[in-house]
Amino acid sequence: MSQSSYHHGNLRRAVLDAALEAIGESGPSGWSLRELARRAGVSHAAPAHHFGDKTGVLTAVAAEGFALFADSLERAAGDPYGAGVAYVRFAVDHRAYFEVMFRPELYRTDDPEAAAARDRAGAVLAASARKLAPGGRVERATTLAAWSVAHGFAALWLNGALPESAEGDVEEVARSVLELVFRRDRQRDG
């Protein structure tokens, strides 16, 4: 390995970018640290030295993903349907992060950075779900329902299971689904 490729300007960023690219191509487990080193143009030992192991890389991916996710959700705060759409839009725009973030078996969930970012995103989701609660009741079930609808829709869209995935507008379709589900619930309980 040449001197210039070994002394990388920002090893962490280069390895994370290589991991995101690899995850995008072959999923969260279809690559090795050696492959990330090759992609990043660093020595084969550099990723392990910096992250420890593959779980360390995935933990950093999850932490960064949850921070970006929380930022997206916060921009939509105040509009529960907008938060749901932001959830789906994040999944579509940042699929590699999304593939890791909701698979706790892949990373160290007790990592302080990952936990803080995950908790921040969860707080925004819970606040948005409270606005959907029938009759103003704050229930965990409302949060779980909103999360399940947004996450399930995102997964179906990403996997091409919905005919609309080929040519539809993900935001428009997601909003219509969220509004249909939660407005109907309000009418029933109201």
Side-chain angles (χ1 to χ4, degrees):
M1 181 131 312
S2 73
Q3 189 77 345
S4 64
S5 65
Y6 181 76
H7 292 289
H8 204 283
N10 188 345
L11 175 66
R12 177 180 170 79
R13 181 77 262 151
V15 173
L16 285 175
D17 288 345
L20 292 167
E21 183 180 306
I23 293 164
E25 292 172 9
S26 57
S29 48
W31 47 270
S32 66
L33 289 182
R34 189 173 289 269
E35 180 184 345
L36 295 187
R38 181 189 55 75
R39 286 176 185 256
V42 298
S43 78
H44 73 274
H49 177 74
H50 195 74
F51 292 96
D53 56 13
K54 189 173 185 174
T55 302
V57 173
L58 291 171
T59 300
V61 167
E64 188 171 271
F66 274 117
L68 293 170
F69 183 55
D71 292 344
S72 285
L73 294 173
E74 286 170 348
R75 284 190 291 276
D79 172 11
Y81 302 110
V85 170
Y87 189 111
V88 173
R89 173 54 53 197
F90 179 87
V92 170
D93 291 347
H94 303 286
R95 185 175 187 160
Y97 288 115
F98 191 75
E99 296 281 338
V100 174
M101 294 163 43
F102 298 101
R103 304 254 326 262
E105 77 278 8
L106 295 176
Y107 64 92
R108 294 181 185 96
T109 58
D110 60 348
D111 174 80
E113 189 179 342
R118 184 182 58 244
D119 291 349
R120 186 166 64 100
V124 177
L125 288 173
S128 294
R130 277 194 289 277
K131 293 178 180 175
L132 296 172
R137 292 189 316 263
V138 179
E139 297 178 10
R140 175 76 174 146
T142 304
T143 302
L144 291 174
W147 185 15
S148 297
V149 170
H151 192 87
F153 180 89
L156 290 167
W157 189 277
L158 288 172
N159 292 326
L162 302 174
E164 293 84 354
S165 299
E167 295 181 28
D169 177 347
V170 68
E171 292 185 17
E172 181 182 314
V173 178
R175 182 174 286 276
S176 67
V177 167
L178 290 163
E179 288 176 353
L180 174 70
V181 169
F182 288 101
R183 287 201 175 135
R184 280 220 175 131
D185 284 348
R186 280 188 180 173
Q187 289 170 355
R188 250 185 300 198
D189 291 341

